[in-house]
């Protein structure tokens, strides 16, 4: 049941990249909390705080796809280093603005948009680099270890950020974020270069379209994208948690509600050793996404706050299981020369859903009430996932031991090592 540490032991570059991600993740959560807090202090408007998501969405859509093409055509390590350095410069801008006698509002939106663009360029390069530095058979274990790294930041990062912002101030939060990016750059620079494959296409609309055609032709991959979009769009309740805490007369529980979903993910990561022995990954993606929806529905129905917290934790664990097996399918079956472009599509599939899902949740809540919005979204999620499973049978029959694409990538990597 314990996490498989084989990738950690076998690959020095994996360890360095893992540490770099863990450190910068902590820093990013400092800014993730500090930025809306500063906007609230400067404007006193909930709409102004919510607009952060709006300014992040367009760069995500544009640069996610183009970033995938860049990842296939350029050295992946250089892309990661330069985008990480760019994030550090954005932290400098936030720090300088926070130190002004009267901080301005507009730089916060500009930084949010630019940060979204940099993340959208970096993530495809990062996601397509893991299969190059980890042995093919170690990819399931690597996916679990990466999920653990993210969930540690998801649980501890916001808690640390709350303390820093409350007791030290916004400037210290932005300064600490800058420091984490500097350490991350030093670590990433030391990993081996990862130049483009000789078959790689130059960044262009044609190259992006080639990746999209490949994804459309792989119905099991298409199923992973569709299932995650449905789950996040229909059953992402984060925007409603403050109102849910009010309805339960438990304002004190809001922080626990926000921590419950990443806590569930962390608990799954700690006992993720079993995932390396599962081969029918598509079935696990469908099952865990449906259970995510049902757990969210249960959280919306319950009137006891502790049961709400329990089901939110269960939901987070189910989401982590889905994420682990989606990542395994992507890394084990997509050819190296297309990996960046497909990672760009993957970025959209797991990022756009939660962003737009907040709009759906708020709209439902305004008409039918907060708790109805939460439980109905969970039920709709489970139903949509079941319908997708019926419409995409290749997702349900996928088996890593017999899939032709997994075999081709395995042979490709074996030939590259000869």
């Amino acid at each position: 049941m314990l996490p498989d540490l084989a990738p950690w032991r076998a690959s020095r570059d994996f360890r360095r990249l893992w540490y770099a991600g863990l450190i910068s993740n902590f820093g990013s959560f400092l800014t993730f909390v500090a930025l809306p807090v500063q906007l609230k202090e400067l404007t006193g408007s909930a709409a102004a705080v919510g607009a952060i998501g709006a300014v992040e969405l367009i760069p995500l859509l544009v640069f996610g796809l183009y970033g995938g093409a860049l990842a296939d055509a350029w050295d992946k390590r250089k892309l990661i280093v330069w985008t990480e350095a760019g994030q550090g410069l954005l932290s400098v801008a936030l720090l300088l603005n926070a130190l002004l006698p009267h901080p301005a509002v507009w730089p916060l939106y500009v930084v949010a948009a630019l940060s979204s663009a940099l993340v959208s360029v970096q993530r495809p390069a990062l996601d397509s680099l893991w299969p190059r530095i980890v042995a093919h058979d170690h990819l399931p274990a690597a996916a679990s270890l990466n999920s653990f790294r993210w969930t540690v930041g998801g649980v501890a990062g916001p808690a640390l950020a709350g303390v820093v912002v409350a007791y030290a101030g916004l400037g210290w939060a932005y300064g600490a974020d800058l420091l984490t990016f500097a350490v991350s750059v030093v670590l990433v620079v030391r990993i081996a270069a990862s130049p483009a494959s000789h078959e790689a296409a130059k960044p262009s609309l044609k190259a992006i379209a080639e990746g999209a055609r490949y994804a459309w032709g792989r119905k099991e991959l298409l199923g992973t994208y569709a299932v995650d979009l449905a789950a996040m769009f229909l059953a992402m309740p984060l925007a409603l948690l403050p109102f849910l805490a009010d309805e339960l007369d438990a304002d004190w529980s809001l922080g626990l509600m926000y921590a419950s979903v990443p806590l569930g993910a962390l608990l799954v990561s700690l006992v993720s050793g079993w995932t390396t022995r599962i081969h029918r990954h598509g079935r696990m993606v469908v099952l865990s996404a449906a259970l995510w929806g049902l757990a969210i529905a249960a959280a919306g129905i319950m009137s006891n706050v502790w049961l709400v917290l329990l089901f939110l934790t269960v939901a987070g664990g189910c989401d982590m299981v889905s994420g682990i097996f989606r990542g395994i399918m992507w890394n084990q079956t997509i050819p190296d020369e297309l990996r960046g472009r497909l990672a760009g599509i993957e970025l959209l599939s797991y990022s756009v859903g939660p962003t737009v899902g907040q709009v759906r949740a708020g709209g439902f809540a305004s008409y039918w009430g907060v708790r109805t919005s939460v439980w109905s979204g969970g039920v709709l999620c489970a139903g949509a996932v079941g319908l997708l499973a019926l419409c995409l049978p290749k997702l349900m029959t996928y088996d890593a031991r017999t899939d032709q694409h997994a075999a081709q990538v395995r042979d490709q990597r074996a030939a590259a090592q000869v």
Side-chain angles (χ1 to χ4, degrees), residues 12-13 16 77 81 184-193:
R12 181 178 58 185
D13 284 347
R16 286 174 175 168
R77 183 193 63 178
V81 168
S184 176
V185 167
V186 171
L187 288 170
V188 176
V189 164
R190 299 179 65 192
I191 71 174

Side-chain angles (χ1 to χ4, degrees), residues 154-155 158 236-265 292 296 298-317 370-371 374:
V155 173
M236 175 53 75
L238 294 185
L240 300 180
L241 294 185
F243 305 95
L244 183 60
D246 284 343
E247 289 205 3
L248 295 172
D249 195 25
D251 292 343
W252 55 269
S253 69
L254 180 58
L256 295 177
M257 287 184 182
Y258 276 116
S260 293
V261 173
L263 175 61
W292 151 270
I296 293 296
I301 292 172
M302 296 299 162
S303 57
N304 182 293
V305 66
W306 294 107
L307 290 177
V308 171
L309 293 171
L310 172 63
F311 281 110
L312 287 175
T313 304
V314 171
V370 173
R371 295 179 66 183
V374 175

Side-chain angles (χ1 to χ4, degrees), residues 36-124:
V37 168
Q38 188 176 20
L39 264 174
K40 178 178 178 294
E41 291 179 354
L42 294 175
T43 67
S45 168
V49 175
I52 294 175
V55 302
E56 290 174 338
L57 182 59
I58 293 177
L60 175 67
L61 294 173
V62 174
F63 289 96
L65 293 174
Y66 190 68
L70 287 175
D72 281 334
W74 291 4
D75 187 299
K76 303 181 197 308
R77 183 193 63 178
K78 288 182 179 179
L79 268 178
I80 296 170
V81 168
W82 284 112
T83 51
E84 199 80 346
Q87 292 277 36
L89 292 177
L90 294 180
S91 296
V92 172
L94 290 173
L95 175 60
L96 293 177
N97 184 60
L99 294 177
L100 292 175
H102 301 287
V105 171
W106 65 265
L108 305 184
Y109 291 113
V110 172
V111 167
L114 292 176
S115 178
S116 178
L118 288 173
V119 169
S120 300
V121 171
Q122 183 187 84
R123 281 301 295 266

Side-chain angles (χ1 to χ4, degrees), residues 60-410:
L60 175 67
L61 294 173
V62 174
F63 289 96
L65 293 174
Y66 190 68
L70 287 175
D72 281 334
W74 291 4
D75 187 299
K76 303 181 197 308
R77 183 193 63 178
K78 288 182 179 179
L79 268 178
I80 296 170
V81 168
W82 284 112
T83 51
E84 199 80 346
Q87 292 277 36
L89 292 177
L90 294 180
S91 296
V92 172
L94 290 173
L95 175 60
L96 293 177
N97 184 60
L99 294 177
L100 292 175
H102 301 287
V105 171
W106 65 265
L108 305 184
Y109 291 113
V110 172
V111 167
L114 292 176
S115 178
S116 178
L118 288 173
V119 169
S120 300
V121 171
Q122 183 187 84
R123 281 301 295 266
L126 185 60
D127 290 346
S128 58
L129 180 58
W130 296 112
R132 286 191 172 188
I133 63 176
V134 175
H136 187 82
D137 292 339
H138 291 169
L139 285 173
S144 297
L145 290 173
N146 284 331
S147 298
F148 174 73
R149 179 203 68 190
W150 181 87
T151 54
V152 167
V155 173
L160 176 63
V163 173
V164 172
V165 171
Y167 293 100
L170 293 164
W172 283 97
Y174 296 139
D177 192 13
L178 171 61
L179 179 61
T180 63
F181 282 125
V183 174
S184 176
V185 167
V186 171
L187 288 170
V188 176
V189 164
R190 299 179 65 192
I191 71 174
S194 184
S197 169
H198 66 277
E199 300 95 352
K202 293 182 179 180
S204 64
L205 291 176
K206 180 180 178 181
I208 293 172
E210 181 185 1
R213 284 195 298 271
Y214 178 85
W216 182 259
R218 293 277 311 278
K219 301 306 180 187
E220 68 279 17
L221 285 185
L222 198 64
T224 64
Y225 306 148
V227 165
D228 192 42
L229 274 171
M232 295 297 102
F233 173 68
L234 294 170
M236 175 53 75
L238 294 185
L240 300 180
L241 294 185
F243 305 95
L244 183 60
D246 284 343
E247 289 205 3
L248 295 172
D249 195 25
D251 292 343
W252 55 269
S253 69
L254 180 58
L256 295 177
M257 287 184 182
Y258 276 116
S260 293
V261 173
L263 175 61
L266 176 61
L267 294 176
V268 167
S269 299
L270 290 173
V271 292
S272 60
W274 61 273
T275 61
T276 63
R277 296 185 291 277
I278 302 296
H279 305 288
R280 295 187 178 274
H281 303 147
R283 292 185 181 181
M284 292 302 298
V285 169
V286 169
L287 176 62
S288 53
L291 290 175
W292 151 270
L294 294 176
I296 293 296
I301 292 172
M302 296 299 162
S303 57
N304 182 293
V305 66
W306 294 107
L307 290 177
V308 171
L309 293 171
L310 172 63
F311 281 110
L312 287 175
T313 304
V314 171
C318 293
D319 185 48
M320 177 52 65
V321 172
S322 177
I324 287 174
F325 286 106
R326 290 197 312 271
I328 294 172
M329 287 182 66
W330 298 339
N331 290 332
Q332 286 191 334
T333 67
I334 298 173
D336 183 71
E337 64 273 12
L338 288 167
R339 190 68 193 87
R341 280 164 284 178
L342 271 292
I345 296 174
E346 292 153 16
L347 174 68
L348 297 184
S349 76
Y350 59 70
S351 299
V352 172
T355 302
V356 183
Q358 305 304 320
V359 179
R360 183 218 66 82
F364 269 51
S366 64
Y367 282 99
W368 293 291
V370 173
R371 295 179 66 183
T372 300
S373 177
V374 175
W375 71 254
S376 65
V379 172
L380 289 172
C381 165
V385 169
L387 183 61
L388 286 169
L390 292 175
C391 295
L392 296 167
K394 286 190 175 181
L395 178 62
M396 297 298 290
T397 58
Y398 173 85
D399 189 324
R401 296 167 295 186
T402 58
D403 181 75
Q404 61 171 332
H405 301 286
Q408 289 170 0
V409 170
R410 190 182 302 113

